[in-house]
Amino acid sequence: QTGTVAANPEQYDQAYICPVTIGSQTLHLDFDTGSSDLWVFSNLMPSSEVDGQTEFNTNSAGATKKDGYTWSISYGDGSGASGVVYADTVNVGGATATSQAVEAATSVSSEFTSDTGSDGLLGLAFSSINQVKPTPQTTFFDTVKSSLEAELFTADLQSNGPGSYTFGYIDSSKYTGSITYTAVDNSQGFWGFTAGGYTVGGGGSNSTGTIGSAIADTGTSLMYLPTAAVQSYYSQVSGSSYSSSQGGYIFPCSASLPSLTVSIGGHGFVVPGSNFNYSPTGSGNTCFGGLQENTGIGFTIFGDVFLRAVYAIFDETQGSPRIGFAAQ
Ligand SMILES: N#Cc1c(N)n[nH]c1N1CCCC1
């Protein structure tokens, strides 16, 4: 089988939300290659924590409670959720898991309550970091992958308009040139890979170092690189500065932003300058940068700012996982 689903950006491309059918309900979930739990708003939650989101009905005929199973997850941004576990049919654009662990929230943090466009998350990292106790559950991809035409999924994220995820096949209309594959280190449960040198702007190679280990994370809005690369980038953005009050680099919204070329698997991938204007700060006609330092996170994250510039293939067809990137 295969699946194809639209990936709809929230405001400022903050996250990408996809329709998922669970039993007879359709919920809109944040597809996240940086985490491994499929969790949903549910009828078990206090109404004070729900602001218009669709609630998974745990009393529906097709939902089977997994007695004694619970989950609790917290994300790097301080948000979190917890609850109990059901099994139900989950259909993503035609790819169907007949018995998928659906983690029904009994409580969510305020960040999720106020994210009115999202009814929950669909994790696409590795099942080794699923947070269900006493037994971790498989991700949707792990549940269905043996039934897919090919054991892979792809992400085509767009700015300000629908992109798509596919399951089981590569859509050759989504990219130009060839796909460059590189090995994945999933020892931390993420789609980890090694990135090489970088060049700021179209000029000569002013890559002053290599980026090193990184993860591909659709659930992170921005791109977080080592300090040296970030300082090198903003040294070429006139009027830019680090704002402790905003918590990152900002610049005049009128600034001209250079591109950033990153070498992966020996191929240079160009992120256009426009990708690095994330959002207005709300003060002084300054804008918040889509590229920020990875200090404090502990690893380098190629989030949506980077992923919008490529077609990404999350591939387990070779036995060992690999990730592919192509220009789009
Ligand atoms: N922080 C964080 C984070 C991440 N690195 N990947 N996905 C994340 N979230 C998904 C929903 C909230 C945060």
Side-chain angles (χ1 to χ4, degrees):
Q1 60 174 346
T2 63
T4 308
V5 68
N8 302 299
E10 293 188 318
Q11 185 181 36
Y12 304 128
D13 299 331
Q14 187 256 334
Y16 288 82
I17 309 300
C18 309
V20 175
T21 303
I22 303 175
S24 58
Q25 291 181 279
T26 295
L27 279 74
H28 293 84
L29 304 184
D30 175 356
F31 280 26
D32 179 12
T33 61
S35 67
S36 304
D37 287 61
L38 195 172
W39 71 260
V40 291
F41 278 65
S42 87
N43 63 295
L44 303 175
M45 292 174 58
S47 56
S48 60
E49 293 181 4
V50 184
D51 183 8
Q53 289 87 353
T54 298
E55 298 176 342
F56 172 60
N57 176 8
T58 61
N59 297 312
S60 58
T64 305
K65 188 160 191 315
K66 293 183 74 75
D67 281 328
Y69 286 74
T70 59
W71 59 280
S72 179
I73 194 164
S74 53
Y75 299 97
D77 63 1
S79 63
S82 60
V84 294
V85 185
Y86 288 76
D88 206 341
T89 299
V90 174
N91 178 339
V92 178
T96 300
T98 51
S99 181
Q100 170 65 39
V102 176
E103 301 171 34
T106 54
S107 181
V108 305
S109 65
S110 57
E111 294 86 352
F112 290 110
T113 302
S114 52
D115 187 355
T116 55
S118 171
D119 303 323
L121 258 79
L122 188 141
L124 291 168
F126 290 85
S127 299
S128 57
I129 56 170
N130 175 268
Q131 297 298 299
V132 171
K133 293 189 170 119
T135 316
Q137 303 295 296
T138 53
T139 64
F140 169 78
F141 177 59
D142 270 355
T143 305
V144 298
K145 70 184 177 186
S146 61
S147 67
L148 294 176
E149 252 175 45
E151 293 196 10
L152 60 84
F153 66 91
T154 76
D156 165 37
L157 304 183
Q158 297 294 322
S159 181
N160 209 25
S164 60
Y165 285 90
T166 72
F167 291 86
Y169 75 100
I170 293 171
D171 182 342
S172 56
S173 72
K174 298 295 184 192
Y175 66 92
T176 60
S178 60
I179 299 172
T180 297
Y181 288 97
T182 195
V184 161
D185 166 14
N186 64 355
S187 61
Q188 304 297 309
F190 300 117
W191 290 90
F193 64 96
T194 299
Y198 58 88
T199 299
V200 177
S205 69
N206 63 352
S207 59
T208 53
T210 58
I211 290 169
S213 61
I215 68 167
D217 183 2
T218 60
T220 288
S221 312
L222 309 185
M223 190 172 185
Y224 295 89
L225 295 182
T227 300
V230 177
Q231 289 178 349
S232 167
Y233 182 84
Y234 286 109
S235 71
Q236 295 200 29
V237 179
S238 52
S240 67
S241 65
Y242 182 88
S243 163
S244 44
S245 60
Q246 295 287 342
Y249 283 88
I250 63 174
F251 45 80
C253 294
S254 57
S256 136
L257 295 170
S259 63
L260 178 73
T261 301
V262 177
S263 174
I264 302 171
H267 181 96
F269 292 95
V270 181
V271 185
S274 55
N275 284 31
F276 295 112
N277 185 336
Y278 178 63
S279 67
T281 63
S283 75
N285 197 23
T286 56
C287 279
F288 194 78
L291 174 64
Q292 298 294 341
E293 295 182 346
N294 68 358
T295 38
I297 296 179
F299 42 86
T300 291
I301 302 182
F302 281 47
D304 300 334
V305 161
F306 174 81
L307 293 168
R308 268 196 293 285
V310 298
Y311 185 55
I313 299 90
F314 299 80
D315 183 327
E316 293 198 28
T317 63
Q318 308 297 300
S320 300
R322 64 179 184 173
I323 192 165
F325 296 108
Q328 55 169 300

